[in-house]
Every structure is written in structure tokens, then in C-alpha cells.
Amino acid sequence: MSNTERTFIAVKPDGVQRGIFPEVLRRFSQKGFKLVAIKLTYAKEELLKEHYADLTSKPFFPSLLSYMTSGPVLATVWEGKDVVKQGRALLGATNPLQSAPGTIRGDFALDMGRNIIHGSDSVENANKEIALWFKKEELVDYKAEMYGWIYE
């Protein structure tokens, strides 16, 4: 299968607290992506500073840290054909008000500061984020029998 890659998808504290994470898992699974890692965790400030390193100088960064440490995060890794780009499409625009109906943010979020979910924006960033949130031994390699029914 060509273009097989992995992406990091995190359901943020608002998505966990509102019980939206089962719908996220359902949508990625039904699209045909393979779940290779999952954990419910409290994100430490140090991890978040590294994860959001490109945003540390932004005026909203302290509130982002406060939000992301306010409750548990469901961290996941998904594998499949063009999963980074396709995963971003499932999420919708970063600003929920610009997200189309049928996307996760379009269906469940209204405010940019509570936009439910994070998804890697490139394969390079996905690899960095996966390594940041998961140890190598936490990633499960297995043959997904469904792939024969999804890919030619």
C-alpha cells in the first residue's frame, strides 16, 4: 500500500470531558484507519511546551497551557494511506466556526479555544509528536485484516 503513514490525534480535555472521544475513534476507524496506540493521560506542562514549541511566544500560550492541563487528554496514533491529510479533513478547520458540518469540529465545537481535537499537520510533525507522546514500545504493529477490504 502506497502513502502509508502515521499521524498523532489527541482529543483535548473538552472533548474528553464532553464524552466526544468515542465518536472520534468511530470516525477514524470507519474511515479505514488502523489504531496503533492509545492512552488516556494528563499532559504535563513540559510535554506541552515541547509539543506547542512554535506557539510559546504567542499571547494566548498561557491560556493554551492552562486549557490543555485542565483535564485528561486521549492521545492516539493512527496508521493508513495519506492519514495525515485525511485525518485533518476529518477534524475540520482549526476554527470550528469555519469547519464544515460532518467534520468533528464542525459537528461538536463552536469556539477556537475549545476546539476539541488536535491532529498532526504534516508527516514530519506527526513523527515528532508521536515520539513525544508515546514510547516506541507503546506503538503496536499488527496486520489489520480489514485492509484487504479497504485498499486495492
Side-chain angles (χ1 to χ4, degrees), residues 72-98:
V73 172
L74 185 72
T76 65
V77 178
W78 295 88
E79 182 178 283
K81 184 177 183 178
D82 205 25
V83 69
V84 172
K85 181 179 175 187
Q86 297 303 312
R88 298 281 295 182
L90 287 171
L91 271 54
T94 303
N95 182 343
L97 295 178
Q98 297 171 353

PDB file of all heavy atoms in Angstrom, residues 72-98:
ATOM      1  N   PRO A  72      -7.930  15.281  31.436  1.00  0.00           N
ATOM      2  CA  PRO A  72      -7.232  14.251  30.666  1.00  0.00           C
ATOM      3  C   PRO A  72      -7.326  14.487  29.157  1.00  0.00           C
ATOM      4  O   PRO A  72      -8.269  15.109  28.662  1.00  0.00           O
ATOM      5  CB  PRO A  72      -7.934  12.955  31.062  1.00  0.00           C
ATOM      6  CG  PRO A  72      -9.239  13.359  31.641  1.00  0.00           C
ATOM      7  CD  PRO A  72      -9.096  14.752  32.140  1.00  0.00           C
ATOM      8  N   VAL A  73      -6.327  13.978  28.466  1.00  0.00           N
ATOM      9  CA  VAL A  73      -6.221  14.021  27.007  1.00  0.00           C
ATOM     10  C   VAL A  73      -6.199  12.579  26.516  1.00  0.00           C
ATOM     11  O   VAL A  73      -5.509  11.735  27.105  1.00  0.00           O
ATOM     12  CB  VAL A  73      -4.919  14.747  26.575  1.00  0.00           C
ATOM     13  CG1 VAL A  73      -4.695  14.642  25.083  1.00  0.00           C
ATOM     14  CG2 VAL A  73      -4.946  16.193  27.034  1.00  0.00           C
ATOM     15  N   LEU A  74      -6.946  12.284  25.453  1.00  0.00           N
ATOM     16  CA  LEU A  74      -6.871  10.961  24.839  1.00  0.00           C
ATOM     17  C   LEU A  74      -5.899  11.056  23.671  1.00  0.00           C
ATOM     18  O   LEU A  74      -6.199  11.667  22.640  1.00  0.00           O
ATOM     19  CB  LEU A  74      -8.239  10.487  24.345  1.00  0.00           C
ATOM     20  CG  LEU A  74      -8.221   9.050  23.809  1.00  0.00           C
ATOM     21  CD1 LEU A  74      -8.077   8.052  24.949  1.00  0.00           C
ATOM     22  CD2 LEU A  74      -9.465   8.759  23.001  1.00  0.00           C
ATOM     23  N   ALA A  75      -4.715  10.489  23.847  1.00  0.00           N
ATOM     24  CA  ALA A  75      -3.669  10.522  22.827  1.00  0.00           C
ATOM     25  C   ALA A  75      -3.755   9.246  21.994  1.00  0.00           C
ATOM     26  O   ALA A  75      -3.831   8.141  22.552  1.00  0.00           O
ATOM     27  CB  ALA A  75      -2.296  10.633  23.485  1.00  0.00           C
ATOM     28  N   THR A  76      -3.752   9.404  20.660  1.00  0.00           N
ATOM     29  CA  THR A  76      -3.853   8.247  19.776  1.00  0.00           C
ATOM     30  C   THR A  76      -2.893   8.371  18.606  1.00  0.00           C
ATOM     31  O   THR A  76      -2.479   9.475  18.236  1.00  0.00           O
ATOM     32  CB  THR A  76      -5.286   8.083  19.202  1.00  0.00           C
ATOM     33  OG1 THR A  76      -5.597   9.204  18.365  1.00  0.00           O
ATOM     34  CG2 THR A  76      -6.322   7.953  20.304  1.00  0.00           C
ATOM     35  N   VAL A  77      -2.555   7.232  18.035  1.00  0.00           N
ATOM     36  CA  VAL A  77      -1.784   7.172  16.796  1.00  0.00           C
ATOM     37  C   VAL A  77      -2.565   6.306  15.821  1.00  0.00           C
ATOM     38  O   VAL A  77      -2.998   5.207  16.167  1.00  0.00           O
ATOM     39  CB  VAL A  77      -0.374   6.581  17.017  1.00  0.00           C
ATOM     40  CG1 VAL A  77       0.388   6.493  15.703  1.00  0.00           C
ATOM     41  CG2 VAL A  77       0.400   7.402  18.045  1.00  0.00           C
ATOM     42  N   TRP A  78      -2.731   6.828  14.616  1.00  0.00           N
ATOM     43  CA  TRP A  78      -3.466   6.143  13.563  1.00  0.00           C
ATOM     44  C   TRP A  78      -2.553   5.908  12.374  1.00  0.00           C
ATOM     45  O   TRP A  78      -1.667   6.718  12.102  1.00  0.00           O
ATOM     46  CB  TRP A  78      -4.678   6.963  13.126  1.00  0.00           C
ATOM     47  CG  TRP A  78      -5.684   7.101  14.220  1.00  0.00           C
ATOM     48  CD1 TRP A  78      -5.725   8.072  15.187  1.00  0.00           C
ATOM     49  CD2 TRP A  78      -6.778   6.231  14.492  1.00  0.00           C
ATOM     50  NE1 TRP A  78      -6.785   7.850  16.032  1.00  0.00           N
ATOM     51  CE2 TRP A  78      -7.456   6.733  15.621  1.00  0.00           C
ATOM     52  CE3 TRP A  78      -7.272   5.082  13.868  1.00  0.00           C
ATOM     53  CZ2 TRP A  78      -8.585   6.122  16.154  1.00  0.00           C
ATOM     54  CZ3 TRP A  78      -8.397   4.475  14.393  1.00  0.00           C
ATOM     55  CH2 TRP A  78      -9.037   4.983  15.521  1.00  0.00           C
ATOM     56  N   GLU A  79      -2.794   4.812  11.661  1.00  0.00           N
ATOM     57  CA  GLU A  79      -1.976   4.453  10.506  1.00  0.00           C
ATOM     58  C   GLU A  79      -2.887   4.217   9.313  1.00  0.00           C
ATOM     59  O   GLU A  79      -3.985   3.680   9.453  1.00  0.00           O
ATOM     60  CB  GLU A  79      -1.200   3.175  10.824  1.00  0.00           C
ATOM     61  CG  GLU A  79      -0.272   2.710   9.731  1.00  0.00           C
ATOM     62  CD  GLU A  79       0.492   1.469  10.161  1.00  0.00           C
ATOM     63  OE1 GLU A  79       1.447   1.591  10.931  1.00  0.00           O
ATOM     64  OE2 GLU A  79       0.081   0.362   9.739  1.00  0.00           O
ATOM     65  N   GLY A  80      -2.407   4.608   8.135  1.00  0.00           N
ATOM     66  CA  GLY A  80      -3.159   4.349   6.917  1.00  0.00           C
ATOM     67  C   GLY A  80      -2.673   5.200   5.767  1.00  0.00           C
ATOM     68  O   GLY A  80      -1.767   6.026   5.906  1.00  0.00           O
ATOM     69  N   LYS A  81      -3.299   5.016   4.649  1.00  0.00           N
ATOM     70  CA  LYS A  81      -2.950   5.734   3.425  1.00  0.00           C
ATOM     71  C   LYS A  81      -3.303   7.214   3.580  1.00  0.00           C
ATOM     72  O   LYS A  81      -4.459   7.561   3.845  1.00  0.00           O
ATOM     73  CB  LYS A  81      -3.720   5.126   2.251  1.00  0.00           C
ATOM     74  CG  LYS A  81      -3.373   5.708   0.909  1.00  0.00           C
ATOM     75  CD  LYS A  81      -4.138   4.979  -0.186  1.00  0.00           C
ATOM     76  CE  LYS A  81      -3.767   5.467  -1.564  1.00  0.00           C
ATOM     77  NZ  LYS A  81      -4.490   4.711  -2.595  1.00  0.00           N
ATOM     78  N   ASP A  82      -2.290   8.076   3.436  1.00  0.00           N
ATOM     79  CA  ASP A  82      -2.492   9.529   3.471  1.00  0.00           C
ATOM     80  C   ASP A  82      -3.227   9.972   4.741  1.00  0.00           C
ATOM     81  O   ASP A  82      -4.015  10.916   4.725  1.00  0.00           O
ATOM     82  CB  ASP A  82      -3.267   9.951   2.210  1.00  0.00           C
ATOM     83  CG  ASP A  82      -3.032  11.392   1.820  1.00  0.00           C
ATOM     84  OD1 ASP A  82      -1.975  11.957   2.168  1.00  0.00           O
ATOM     85  OD2 ASP A  82      -3.920  11.962   1.164  1.00  0.00           O
ATOM     86  N   VAL A  83      -2.948   9.311   5.870  1.00  0.00           N
ATOM     87  CA  VAL A  83      -3.709   9.534   7.099  1.00  0.00           C
ATOM     88  C   VAL A  83      -3.526  10.939   7.675  1.00  0.00           C
ATOM     89  O   VAL A  83      -4.449  11.468   8.303  1.00  0.00           O
ATOM     90  CB  VAL A  83      -3.400   8.452   8.167  1.00  0.00           C
ATOM     91  CG1 VAL A  83      -1.990   8.582   8.714  1.00  0.00           C
ATOM     92  CG2 VAL A  83      -4.428   8.479   9.292  1.00  0.00           C
ATOM     93  N   VAL A  84      -2.376  11.577   7.459  1.00  0.00           N
ATOM     94  CA  VAL A  84      -2.197  12.929   7.993  1.00  0.00           C
ATOM     95  C   VAL A  84      -3.191  13.886   7.331  1.00  0.00           C
ATOM     96  O   VAL A  84      -3.965  14.565   8.001  1.00  0.00           O
ATOM     97  CB  VAL A  84      -0.743  13.422   7.825  1.00  0.00           C
ATOM     98  CG1 VAL A  84      -0.618  14.888   8.205  1.00  0.00           C
ATOM     99  CG2 VAL A  84       0.215  12.579   8.663  1.00  0.00           C
ATOM    100  N   LYS A  85      -3.192  13.919   6.016  1.00  0.00           N
ATOM    101  CA  LYS A  85      -4.086  14.816   5.284  1.00  0.00           C
ATOM    102  C   LYS A  85      -5.548  14.424   5.502  1.00  0.00           C
ATOM    103  O   LYS A  85      -6.408  15.281   5.739  1.00  0.00           O
ATOM    104  CB  LYS A  85      -3.747  14.775   3.795  1.00  0.00           C
ATOM    105  CG  LYS A  85      -4.594  15.684   2.947  1.00  0.00           C
ATOM    106  CD  LYS A  85      -4.189  15.596   1.491  1.00  0.00           C
ATOM    107  CE  LYS A  85      -5.101  16.403   0.602  1.00  0.00           C
ATOM    108  NZ  LYS A  85      -4.811  16.198  -0.819  1.00  0.00           N
ATOM    109  N   GLN A  86      -5.844  13.145   5.419  1.00  0.00           N
ATOM    110  CA  GLN A  86      -7.223  12.687   5.595  1.00  0.00           C
ATOM    111  C   GLN A  86      -7.705  12.917   7.023  1.00  0.00           C
ATOM    112  O   GLN A  86      -8.868  13.244   7.247  1.00  0.00           O
ATOM    113  CB  GLN A  86      -7.345  11.212   5.212  1.00  0.00           C
ATOM    114  CG  GLN A  86      -7.047  10.927   3.756  1.00  0.00           C
ATOM    115  CD  GLN A  86      -7.935  11.727   2.815  1.00  0.00           C
ATOM    116  OE1 GLN A  86      -9.146  11.776   2.981  1.00  0.00           O
ATOM    117  NE2 GLN A  86      -7.321  12.356   1.839  1.00  0.00           N
ATOM    118  N   GLY A  87      -6.798  12.739   7.984  1.00  0.00           N
ATOM    119  CA  GLY A  87      -7.152  12.990   9.383  1.00  0.00           C
ATOM    120  C   GLY A  87      -7.507  14.443   9.616  1.00  0.00           C
ATOM    121  O   GLY A  87      -8.488  14.759  10.310  1.00  0.00           O
ATOM    122  N   ARG A  88      -6.734  15.348   9.014  1.00  0.00           N
ATOM    123  CA  ARG A  88      -7.030  16.781   9.133  1.00  0.00           C
ATOM    124  C   ARG A  88      -8.400  17.096   8.516  1.00  0.00           C
ATOM    125  O   ARG A  88      -9.139  17.928   9.039  1.00  0.00           O
ATOM    126  CB  ARG A  88      -5.940  17.613   8.462  1.00  0.00           C
ATOM    127  CG  ARG A  88      -4.564  17.470   9.056  1.00  0.00           C
ATOM    128  CD  ARG A  88      -4.330  18.236  10.301  1.00  0.00           C
ATOM    129  NE  ARG A  88      -4.396  19.668  10.064  1.00  0.00           N
ATOM    130  CZ  ARG A  88      -4.179  20.573  10.998  1.00  0.00           C
ATOM    131  NH1 ARG A  88      -3.888  20.200  12.222  1.00  0.00           N
ATOM    132  NH2 ARG A  88      -4.262  21.852  10.733  1.00  0.00           N
ATOM    133  N   ALA A  89      -8.725  16.428   7.441  1.00  0.00           N
ATOM    134  CA  ALA A  89     -10.035  16.640   6.818  1.00  0.00           C
ATOM    135  C   ALA A  89     -11.158  16.179   7.749  1.00  0.00           C
ATOM    136  O   ALA A  89     -12.207  16.828   7.842  1.00  0.00           O
ATOM    137  CB  ALA A  89     -10.107  15.912   5.476  1.00  0.00           C
ATOM    138  N   LEU A  90     -10.956  15.061   8.453  1.00  0.00           N
ATOM    139  CA  LEU A  90     -11.957  14.582   9.404  1.00  0.00           C
ATOM    140  C   LEU A  90     -12.139  15.566  10.565  1.00  0.00           C
ATOM    141  O   LEU A  90     -13.251  15.737  11.070  1.00  0.00           O
ATOM    142  CB  LEU A  90     -11.564  13.213   9.967  1.00  0.00           C
ATOM    143  CG  LEU A  90     -11.700  12.012   9.039  1.00  0.00           C
ATOM    144  CD1 LEU A  90     -11.079  10.781   9.668  1.00  0.00           C
ATOM    145  CD2 LEU A  90     -13.153  11.758   8.700  1.00  0.00           C
ATOM    146  N   LEU A  91     -11.046  16.213  10.975  1.00  0.00           N
ATOM    147  CA  LEU A  91     -11.104  17.156  12.088  1.00  0.00           C
ATOM    148  C   LEU A  91     -11.859  18.427  11.729  1.00  0.00           C
ATOM    149  O   LEU A  91     -12.609  18.954  12.536  1.00  0.00           O
ATOM    150  CB  LEU A  91      -9.693  17.547  12.536  1.00  0.00           C
ATOM    151  CG  LEU A  91      -9.022  16.700  13.597  1.00  0.00           C
ATOM    152  CD1 LEU A  91      -8.973  15.236  13.247  1.00  0.00           C
ATOM    153  CD2 LEU A  91      -7.643  17.223  13.885  1.00  0.00           C
ATOM    154  N   GLY A  92     -11.616  18.957  10.540  1.00  0.00           N
ATOM    155  CA  GLY A  92     -12.190  20.240  10.149  1.00  0.00           C
ATOM    156  C   GLY A  92     -11.213  21.369  10.436  1.00  0.00           C
ATOM    157  O   GLY A  92     -10.131  21.167  10.981  1.00  0.00           O
ATOM    158  N   ALA A  93     -11.595  22.568  10.075  1.00  0.00           N
ATOM    159  CA  ALA A  93     -10.738  23.742  10.260  1.00  0.00           C
ATOM    160  C   ALA A  93     -10.461  23.981  11.740  1.00  0.00           C
ATOM    161  O   ALA A  93     -11.292  23.665  12.597  1.00  0.00           O
ATOM    162  CB  ALA A  93     -11.409  24.968   9.648  1.00  0.00           C
ATOM    163  N   THR A  94      -9.293  24.558  12.028  1.00  0.00           N
ATOM    164  CA  THR A  94      -8.912  24.844  13.408  1.00  0.00           C
ATOM    165  C   THR A  94      -9.967  25.706  14.103  1.00  0.00           C
ATOM    166  O   THR A  94     -10.294  25.479  15.261  1.00  0.00           O
ATOM    167  CB  THR A  94      -7.539  25.541  13.451  1.00  0.00           C
ATOM    168  OG1 THR A  94      -6.585  24.693  12.800  1.00  0.00           O
ATOM    169  CG2 THR A  94      -7.074  25.782  14.865  1.00  0.00           C
ATOM    170  N   ASN A  95     -10.494  26.664  13.393  1.00  0.00           N
ATOM    171  CA  ASN A  95     -11.583  27.481  13.921  1.00  0.00           C
ATOM    172  C   ASN A  95     -12.899  26.744  13.650  1.00  0.00           C
ATOM    173  O   ASN A  95     -13.311  26.615  12.496  1.00  0.00           O
ATOM    174  CB  ASN A  95     -11.603  28.855  13.247  1.00  0.00           C
ATOM    175  CG  ASN A  95     -12.685  29.752  13.798  1.00  0.00           C
ATOM    176  OD1 ASN A  95     -13.619  29.305  14.454  1.00  0.00           O
ATOM    177  ND2 ASN A  95     -12.559  31.037  13.529  1.00  0.00           N
ATOM    178  N   PRO A  96     -13.546  26.260  14.691  1.00  0.00           N
ATOM    179  CA  PRO A  96     -14.769  25.477  14.487  1.00  0.00           C
ATOM    180  C   PRO A  96     -15.852  26.188  13.682  1.00  0.00           C
ATOM    181  O   PRO A  96     -16.619  25.539  12.975  1.00  0.00           O
ATOM    182  CB  PRO A  96     -15.253  25.200  15.909  1.00  0.00           C
ATOM    183  CG  PRO A  96     -14.022  25.273  16.736  1.00  0.00           C
ATOM    184  CD  PRO A  96     -13.180  26.344  16.105  1.00  0.00           C
ATOM    185  N   LEU A  97     -15.901  27.514  13.759  1.00  0.00           N
ATOM    186  CA  LEU A  97     -16.917  28.250  13.002  1.00  0.00           C
ATOM    187  C   LEU A  97     -16.663  28.203  11.508  1.00  0.00           C
ATOM    188  O   LEU A  97     -17.559  28.499  10.710  1.00  0.00           O
ATOM    189  CB  LEU A  97     -16.996  29.701  13.493  1.00  0.00           C
ATOM    190  CG  LEU A  97     -17.474  29.861  14.938  1.00  0.00           C
ATOM    191  CD1 LEU A  97     -17.457  31.336  15.336  1.00  0.00           C
ATOM    192  CD2 LEU A  97     -18.852  29.255  15.145  1.00  0.00           C
ATOM    193  N   GLN A  98     -15.451  27.809  11.114  1.00  0.00           N
ATOM    194  CA  GLN A  98     -15.125  27.658   9.701  1.00  0.00           C
ATOM    195  C   GLN A  98     -15.106  26.185   9.274  1.00  0.00           C
ATOM    196  O   GLN A  98     -14.768  25.871   8.141  1.00  0.00           O
ATOM    197  CB  GLN A  98     -13.762  28.302   9.405  1.00  0.00           C
ATOM    198  CG  GLN A  98     -13.745  29.787   9.654  1.00  0.00           C
ATOM    199  CD  GLN A  98     -12.356  30.381   9.584  1.00  0.00           C
ATOM    200  OE1 GLN A  98     -11.353  29.688   9.470  1.00  0.00           O
ATOM    201  NE2 GLN A  98     -12.293  31.694   9.660  1.00  0.00           N
TER     202      GLN A  98
END
